[in-house]
Amino acid sequence: MAIVFISVWTLIATTVLASISIKLEPSLIEFGKSGLDISCVVNDTNLIGTTHIYLKRSESYVVSVTIFKIAWQDKALENKTGVTVNGSINNTMTSYLRLEISKTVVRYREDMGSYQCILSAVTASHEIKRYQSQSIVLNITGFLESTTKRLSTSNHKSTEVSAQNGYQENSTESFINTDKPLQKKRLVLYRTIMIPITTIISGMLAFIVARELRLHYFVSKATTTAKNHRKKYTNGVYIV
């Protein structure tokens, strides 16, 4: 982390090449803690007119200004809260393009790269020429630390909410346990099938036991009756 803060707020890269210069402040920012300020400024006093100023990032154009309007090429930044752009080419001596991105909307991968200003202007000989500033590389650090911190905070809150419900559950934003819904479905299916089956089996067993008891009762009664009928009483002696 010490490397992150070394000259973060004091590092200003400014280069002048021919007719246009670029200023990027700072060229090393910490993700979520530093904003971005990029300016393109026309320097050549021999120009008699300016037609376009472009801001380019690596191989893609970000935004441009003409005599009529400011046009966005990076549509993801257009109308985004925390992003402002100003520019004018009405006066060649004061032509400029400035882009500011607040720390809350700086994008880790998208905003990194090599920035360059491109000028299309009319010379004193009435020729339209194209000028380029030197490139300045923007580096963004601290993304992994910031992401880990957010995940850790989310885990802590999730654990607290689960504990209030009488149990503790570990969860993260990057992992979703898909086994629990599947287990729940299996449990519901098991209950749906097994409860009727066990009820039927229990009823059948109860019926069989009752039938056996009833049959045993009638058999015993019939046996006793038969014996009584075979007995004869003669002269005070039972004869079987």
Side-chain angles (χ1 to χ4, degrees):
M1 295 301 294
I3 298 177
V4 175
F5 292 100
I6 294 176
S7 303
V8 168
W9 300 107
T10 59
L11 180 61
I12 301 176
T14 306
T15 62
V16 179
L17 184 62
S19 299
I20 191 168
S21 65
I22 183 171
K23 180 179 179 181
L24 191 155
E25 181 182 12
S27 60
L28 174 64
I29 65 177
E30 184 177 9
F31 182 76
K33 294 187 177 181
S34 306
L36 183 60
D37 188 350
I38 308 173
S39 297
C40 300
V41 180
V42 176
N43 306 300
D44 196 339
T45 57
N46 294 320
L47 298 175
I48 62 174
T50 303
T51 60
H52 294 84
I53 298 177
Y54 298 92
L55 176 61
K56 187 178 181 182
R57 182 201 313 111
S58 298
E59 301 301 323
S60 302
Y61 289 96
V62 181
V63 66
S64 61
V65 58
T66 68
I67 194 171
F68 300 107
K69 63 178 182 178
I70 292 174
W72 283 97
Q73 287 76 54
D74 187 343
K75 296 299 182 180
L77 283 178
E78 188 175 9
N79 298 324
K80 199 168 188 177
T81 303
V83 177
T84 59
V85 60
N86 295 290
S88 174
I89 61 171
N90 294 328
N91 188 330
T92 304
M93 296 296 296
T94 59
S95 294
Y96 75 98
L97 175 64
R98 183 178 183 182
L99 172 65
E100 295 177 273
I101 305 176
S102 69
K103 63 182 181 180
T104 57
V105 292
V106 169
R107 302 168 298 178
Y108 173 65
R109 294 188 181 277
E110 293 85 344
D111 291 333
M112 285 196 302
S114 177
Y115 284 83
Q116 186 180 41
C117 294
I118 299 174
L119 169 67
S120 178
V122 181
T123 65
S125 59
H126 299 284
E127 295 179 315
I128 297 178
K129 288 191 175 182
R130 189 179 179 92
Y131 303 91
Q132 296 180 346
S133 71
Q134 185 174 340
S135 298
I136 300 179
V137 176
L138 170 67
N139 290 307
I140 302 175
T141 187
F143 175 75
L144 294 177
E145 292 84 350
S146 178
T147 303
T148 302
K149 184 177 180 181
R150 288 201 302 268
L151 287 175
S152 177
T153 303
S154 176
N155 289 343
H156 180 66
K157 291 180 179 180
S158 178
T159 301
E160 287 182 347
V161 171
S162 298
Q164 291 177 359
N165 293 329
Y167 62 93
Q168 185 170 342
E169 176 183 350
N170 295 325
S171 78
T172 62
E173 292 179 354
S174 60
F175 175 78
I176 300 175
N177 189 352
T178 57
D179 291 335
K180 289 186 177 180
L182 181 60
Q183 291 176 358
K184 187 175 181 180
K185 289 180 180 179
R186 289 177 178 175
L187 181 59
V188 172
L189 180 62
Y190 175 81
R191 290 177 176 176
T192 303
I193 296 174
M194 292 305 298
I195 289 177
I197 292 176
T198 53
T199 301
I200 293 172
I201 293 174
S202 298
M204 292 177 64
L205 290 175
F207 174 78
I208 292 171
V209 171
R211 189 186 65 175
E212 291 296 326
L213 290 174
R214 182 181 179 85
L215 181 60
H216 178 72
Y217 169 77
F218 283 110
V219 170
S220 298
K221 186 175 181 181
T223 302
T224 302
T225 303
K227 286 182 180 181
N228 291 337
H229 281 290
R230 285 198 301 267
K231 290 180 181 181
K232 294 181 179 180
Y233 181 77
T234 305
N235 295 327
V237 178
Y238 283 105
I239 301 175
V240 179

